[in-house]
Amino acid sequence: MASKIVIPVCFWGQLREFKHFNAHYQEFLESEKYTYKFYIATWESPYLEKLTLPFESEYAANEQEHIHKLREVTYANRKDEDSSIDLTAARIAFHLHNIKDLFAEDQSKYEFYLFTRPDHLLNRLAFEYQLDCMIESKVNTFNKPVISLNEGIVAQRGLSAPYDVFFIANTSGTKLMLEMYENVFIKGELKDIKIPKITGPHKTWGTYIINNDFIVLSFPISSKNGLWYKKTDSARLL
């Protein structure tokens, strides 16, 4: 019997609840197709101690210790009021940066990575179908960064990735996304881009992805916000 492909599930961002999170992602461990390994980079929270998933590695930053630095790097990359890169984008990039350190030397051994906010519960069957399609299409063999988004990139007074809850990336795409904090907020990669309204995470992501020549795939995968999701037999996300 062939061994199952290992997929790292990287949770990034603020934990807002734990009960639905624990129950929902425990079901990922029952997958017959894939083996999932869990990583998380978040803010310090009492919820973190209540998580029951078998995390390979985790990192919790103290928000008060880092928020001043995040404001500094945000303002340093402003050109003017119309094309500023806001604090929310910096916070997201900061969490992705911290995930990079969790992998240590293991980052290159996985072919695909799932990145998702911990407050959203992904439909596993739809996600695995997208993975099946990407593997069958040999996307993992492309010598280019590849990212699969729920809604793709749109042009709305700038380049926008309108759905920032989760994404799937190949190895080279993952490397670039985990380096977004350094590239955008430390090195100022987007500082001189002549595109208006590079504001917020949606515009920052969209511009960064296009600027780095990603192959962008679009595949809608449903999710529910864990804060409001009530698990019943008639409304169950697998």
Side-chain angles (χ1 to χ4, degrees), residues 170-198:
N170 68 347
T171 300
S172 56
T174 293
K175 182 177 184 296
L176 278 170
M177 293 305 291
L178 297 184
E179 292 173 350
M180 183 164 62
Y181 183 75
E182 293 96 326
N183 293 342
V184 174
F185 296 97
I186 304 302
K187 300 176 182 177
E189 179 179 306
L190 305 183
K191 195 171 184 178
D192 298 317
I193 296 292
K194 304 301 183 183
I195 297 175
K197 294 289 184 183
I198 305 179

Side-chain angles (χ1 to χ4, degrees), residues 129-145:
Y129 177 72
Q130 170 64 343
L131 268 181
D132 292 344
C133 293
M134 293 173 73
I135 291 170
E136 290 171 4
S137 301
K138 304 296 183 183
V139 172
N140 54 317
T141 66
F142 293 0
N143 191 27
K144 287 180 68 69

Side-chain angles (χ1 to χ4, degrees), residues 187-237:
K187 300 176 182 177
E189 179 179 306
L190 305 183
K191 195 171 184 178
D192 298 317
I193 296 292
K194 304 301 183 183
I195 297 175
K197 294 289 184 183
I198 305 179
T199 57
H202 307 301
K203 298 290 176 59
T204 304
W205 282 38
T207 308
Y208 180 75
I209 288 168
I210 295 300
N211 193 54
N212 283 282
D213 299 326
F214 274 77
I215 296 174
V216 180
L217 308 177
S218 178
F219 189 90
I221 298 175
S222 61
S223 67
K224 292 285 186 182
N225 190 305
L227 285 173
W228 306 306
Y229 172 61
K230 293 184 178 180
K231 192 171 183 179
T232 67
D233 289 337
S234 60
R236 187 181 183 199
L237 284 176

Side-chain angles (χ1 to χ4, degrees), residues 21-160:
F21 178 92
N22 285 335
H24 183 79
Y25 284 106
Q26 186 68 33
E27 294 179 356
F28 274 53
L29 299 176
E30 301 169 5
S31 171
E32 297 180 357
K33 288 186 175 182
Y34 298 98
T35 296
Y36 294 101
K37 292 189 175 182
F38 299 108
Y39 300 80
I40 188 168
T42 183
W43 299 117
E44 289 180 351
S45 162
Y47 292 149
L48 193 60
E49 298 177 359
K50 299 179 184 293
L51 299 186
T52 57
L53 289 181
F55 286 102
E56 299 291 318
S57 188
E58 60 187 58
Y59 177 79
N62 183 294
E63 187 171 3
Q64 294 307 312
E65 289 180 3
H66 293 280
I67 197 66
H68 178 70
K69 177 62 176 177
L70 291 176
R71 288 196 178 104
E72 279 187 349
V73 298
T74 299
Y75 299 143
N77 283 280
R78 285 192 175 197
K79 288 190 297 181
D80 52 59
E81 190 75 18
D82 188 57
S83 60
S84 63
I85 300 174
D86 80 356
L87 185 59
T88 301
R91 289 161 67 96
I92 292 173
F94 174 74
H95 288 306
L96 294 177
H97 163 81
N98 289 331
I99 284 177
K100 181 177 69 172
D101 294 335
L102 300 183
F103 286 120
E105 299 177 356
D106 293 338
Q107 183 181 336
S108 62
K109 75 178 185 181
Y110 304 117
E111 295 182 275
F112 293 106
Y113 299 72
L114 168 63
F115 294 84
T116 182
R117 279 170 30 187
D119 58 344
H120 272 253
L121 310 177
L122 298 187
N123 185 312
R124 177 173 62 83
L125 296 183
F127 164 65
E128 290 187 347
Y129 177 72
Q130 170 64 343
L131 268 181
D132 292 344
C133 293
M134 293 173 73
I135 291 170
E136 290 171 4
S137 301
K138 304 296 183 183
V139 172
N140 54 317
T141 66
F142 293 0
N143 191 27
K144 287 180 68 69
V146 176
I147 191 167
S148 177
L149 303 172
N150 199 59
E151 298 183 21
I153 303 293
V154 298
Q156 294 175 337
R157 301 182 67 194
L159 300 172
S160 177

